[in-house]
Amino acid sequence: MLYMFPVIDLKETGINLRRIMDKRGISARDVQEYLNLASVQSVYNWCRGVNMPTIDNLYALSQLFQLPIDAIVCGNRQAIIPEPIIMDARERRLLMYYRKIRELVVA
């Protein structure tokens, strides 16, 4: 069985980045200023799929867009679906107590 390692699709990622920016009303100039980039051309190159933002810039973009990095980057990897957390009765009680204590501390 041949294993295909995950690869980022620059073109699709660029299209997705532009779609996210348009949907949120964020311009390339806004992104440039937010990331403190020397030129807006970098953002245009990302949107055209010429190249990718650095991991630092992707991390910052995920904050700006309020999305996980995986929602910005497109590739050939299957989506990772986390396993549901199953708690026993004791763990649920501990979590409930923790939340109650936290409410008292915050208040």
Side-chain angles (χ1 to χ4, degrees):
M1 177 185 201
L2 180 63
Y3 176 73
M4 179 70 159
F5 64 91
V7 178
I8 294 172
D9 185 327
L10 293 178
K11 197 67 141 175
E12 285 300 315
T13 299
I15 291 167
N16 193 42
L17 182 60
R18 172 47 71 192
R19 184 186 57 77
I20 293 166
M21 289 167 56
D22 288 346
K23 193 171 187 178
R24 286 173 167 61
I26 298 172
S27 70
R29 177 80 59 200
D30 295 333
V31 171
Q32 177 209 0
E33 290 173 5
Y34 179 77
L35 297 175
N36 199 26
L37 300 172
S39 168
V40 73
Q41 198 60 40
S42 297
V43 181
Y44 291 130
N45 285 338
W46 300 340
C47 292
R48 285 197 326 265
V50 173
N51 54 31
M52 284 283 298
T54 63
I55 191 66
D56 290 341
N57 286 337
L58 278 172
Y59 190 68
L61 287 171
S62 75
Q63 176 66 32
L64 176 65
F65 300 147
Q66 292 295 294
L67 292 170
I69 292 174
D70 275 355
I72 300 169
V73 175
C74 299
N76 65 346
R77 181 182 83 178
Q78 294 217 356
I80 297 173
I81 302 170
E83 292 290 322
I85 298 173
I86 301 171
M87 292 188 271
D88 61 20
R90 180 179 167 271
E91 291 170 322
R92 282 193 300 274
R93 271 196 317 276
L94 285 171
L95 181 60
M96 183 185 69
Y97 291 137
Y98 169 76
R99 287 178 178 161
K100 290 287 185 190
I101 290 169
R102 200 165 155 193
E103 285 174 14
L104 294 173
V105 170
V106 172

